[in-house]
Amino acid sequence: MSSRNDGSGAPRGSTGSIEADHILRKLEGGGQRPVAQTARALKLPKVKAPSLDNLQVTVPQDSDITQEELLMRFHEMVRAHSATRERAPGEPVQLGDTVVLDTLGYAQGRLIPFSAKSGLEMEMAPSDLLPGLPEGLVGTPVGGGQEVQVTLPDTYPVEHLRGVHATFLVDVVAAREVTIPDAESDAFVRKLGRGTTLEAVMESLADEIANERADDMWLEAQERVLDELVLRTEVPLTVELVDEEIRQAWSATEARLLAQKDFAPDELQESLDGWLDDPTTRLEAERRLRIAFALRAIIERDQLQLTPEKMDEVLQEAVVPFGLSLEEARRALAHPTTAEGVRNAAMQVMAVRHVMGKAQVRFEGVPGVFTGNGKQLR
């Protein structure tokens, strides 16, 4: 993949400095640093801990599961159970393949923020997010590259680039040919392990989606509680603090890939400027910082202590499900380069749980009131 062209970008992934995945990134050596480290050289504002009294939120009722959503989940399951063959280096990719890509986008002569992706796995099928990209890759050899022209849709995450003509530079790192069987045959339906009939499989998938949505509603409850916390906390943020928060996120993600691609210093600065100038990114960074400062103040006021037992509990619940063992997490805590980051991130997770335990959550359409930790109050 060459470093300079004119074209478009790809959407950025979600970020957050207080969630469990923050700890995972710490253990993997990436991610953003907590406030104490992010702004070590900057003057930190003094923040008064917000009251946790009458901390109440209501989560809107979720929409019904659509047929399109159910069919897409079934499609994904069928592909997961289909026969595959690794395409050899130099072999051209085709529609229907699963491909692993490195992508880089340009538009209006500049690198698009968040467009540098490494190891992006996707199905070679029409895309609503990047119309024409999979079709433009047809025939590209594994190990080769392609320049693909697209017009960014009205739903593109970078708002000011919606409707703009863009160019993607794409390297095809790997590809698998996928042979789809007769998905409605009795033999294949039984192979899925979700029942003996197609109707039973669909019911199982509907239950799966419903359970995921229930989990998402609890995550939404947490986000709403944290937003309420922000409203109750006066945090005099400076431009420098927000810039540093964004810079650390950029350094841990897009900057690494661009450095591997031998981008020049001025091109790296262009990439960073795209992040710094993006309004949505700035709002997200401000929110993360406000939450982090509020939690830090609550930790001090309420004298929260991260005992070894609580540390193991946080690591067990927040890290182990992502594939790391508790022993690996403990080793990270013992290593000088990762210990402080892991401990600070774990403290933030503990503080979130403390706050959620004080909150009252209502779910539209569900009787009762709950604490943010799932205990029903009435």
Side-chain angles (χ1 to χ4, degrees):
M1 183 184 296
S2 60
S3 65
R4 171 69 61 180
N5 205 300
D6 59 328
S8 137
R12 71 187 143 72
S14 59
T15 58
S17 61
I18 62 170
E19 308 298 339
D21 65 340
H22 188 128
I23 297 181
L24 181 65
R25 291 197 298 272
K26 291 296 175 190
L27 297 179
E28 292 177 336
Q32 302 162 36
R33 296 182 294 184
V35 169
Q37 292 177 275
T38 298
R40 187 185 301 278
L42 301 174
K43 184 178 180 180
L44 302 182
K46 294 182 179 180
V47 175
K48 180 181 178 181
S51 170
L52 301 183
D53 295 337
N54 299 315
L55 192 57
Q56 302 176 0
V57 299
T58 299
V59 179
Q61 190 169 7
D62 206 349
S63 59
D64 293 334
I65 298 172
T66 65
Q67 183 179 19
E68 181 181 5
E69 187 177 5
L70 195 57
L71 290 175
M72 178 56 68
R73 183 62 62 92
F74 180 68
H75 172 75
E76 293 168 353
M77 174 180 279
V78 169
R79 286 184 63 86
H81 286 80
S82 297
T84 62
R85 179 185 67 84
E86 292 289 333
R87 291 199 182 275
E91 186 177 356
V93 300
Q94 303 296 332
L95 290 178
D97 287 358
T98 296
V99 292
V100 179
L101 310 174
D102 286 351
T103 67
L104 194 62
Y106 287 85
Q108 300 173 336
R110 294 179 62 87
L111 177 67
I112 293 182
F114 331 113
S115 68
K117 302 291 182 182
S118 178
L120 175 65
E121 184 170 310
M122 61 176 287
E123 177 186 352
M124 287 277 286
S127 167
D128 292 333
L129 182 62
L130 295 170
L133 180 67
E135 294 88 341
L137 290 176
V138 171
T140 305
V142 175
Q146 186 65 268
E147 183 177 303
V148 183
Q149 309 295 324
V150 300
T151 298
L152 300 178
D154 292 339
T155 55
Y156 194 71
V158 183
E159 187 173 351
H160 74 276
L161 292 178
R162 292 172 181 174
V164 170
H165 177 74
T167 300
F168 271 98
L169 307 179
V170 184
D171 289 342
V172 179
V173 179
R176 297 191 303 275
E177 181 185 24
V178 181
T179 303
I180 303 294
D182 179 3
E184 297 185 14
S185 70
D186 292 341
F188 186 77
V189 167
R190 287 193 296 270
K191 180 181 177 181
L192 297 176
R194 297 294 187 101
T196 58
T197 65
L198 186 59
E199 290 75 13
V201 171
M202 289 301 188
E203 289 178 4
S204 172
L205 290 177
D207 289 342
E208 180 180 272
I209 295 172
N211 289 334
E212 291 174 1
R213 288 192 173 190
D215 291 340
D216 289 342
M217 289 182 72
W218 280 107
L219 291 176
E220 176 64 21
Q222 176 175 295
E223 293 303 306
R224 288 173 178 262
V225 168
L226 294 176
D227 283 338
E228 178 63 27
L229 208 64
V230 168
L231 293 176
R232 297 183 178 199
T233 311
E234 184 177 349
V235 183
L237 290 179
T238 64
V239 172
E240 291 76 17
L241 273 174
V242 177
D243 285 352
E244 180 63 16
E245 174 73 3
I246 296 172
R247 186 176 292 107
Q248 291 300 326
W250 171 81
S251 297
T253 52
E254 189 166 280
R256 292 185 177 183
L257 177 59
L258 297 183
Q260 293 171 3
K261 300 294 182 181
D262 295 325
F263 270 55
D266 63 321
E267 294 175 311
L268 292 174
Q269 185 62 49
E270 179 182 302
S271 167
L272 174 58
D273 289 344
W275 283 55
L276 292 172
D277 294 339
D278 182 61
T280 301
T281 300
R282 296 199 69 85
L283 287 175
E284 291 174 348
E286 288 181 12
R287 179 179 183 269
R288 288 197 303 271
L289 286 170
R290 292 183 188 281
I291 291 172
F293 280 117
L295 293 175
R296 182 179 180 183
I298 290 170
I299 289 170
E300 294 176 356
R301 182 196 62 195
D302 296 353
Q303 298 182 335
L304 302 183
Q305 299 294 323
L306 190 61
T307 64
E309 293 76 18
K310 286 184 179 179
M311 174 64 83
D312 275 0
E313 180 183 339
V314 168
L315 295 178
Q316 184 73 39
E317 294 184 14
V319 177
V320 174
F322 290 89
L324 290 175
S325 70
L326 188 57
E327 285 305 313
E328 287 174 317
R330 286 171 175 164
R331 284 198 296 271
L333 274 172
H335 198 284
T337 60
T338 55
E340 183 181 2
V342 173
R343 180 169 292 277
N344 287 341
M347 284 290 291
Q348 287 187 335
V349 172
M350 183 183 67
V352 169
R353 293 181 179 180
H354 172 71
V355 170
M356 294 301 292
K358 303 290 186 181
Q360 294 185 17
V361 179
R362 291 177 172 84
F363 297 94
E364 288 185 357
V366 178
V369 180
F370 304 82
T371 70
N373 293 331
K375 180 181 178 182
Q376 187 164 1
L377 298 174
R378 58 182 184 273

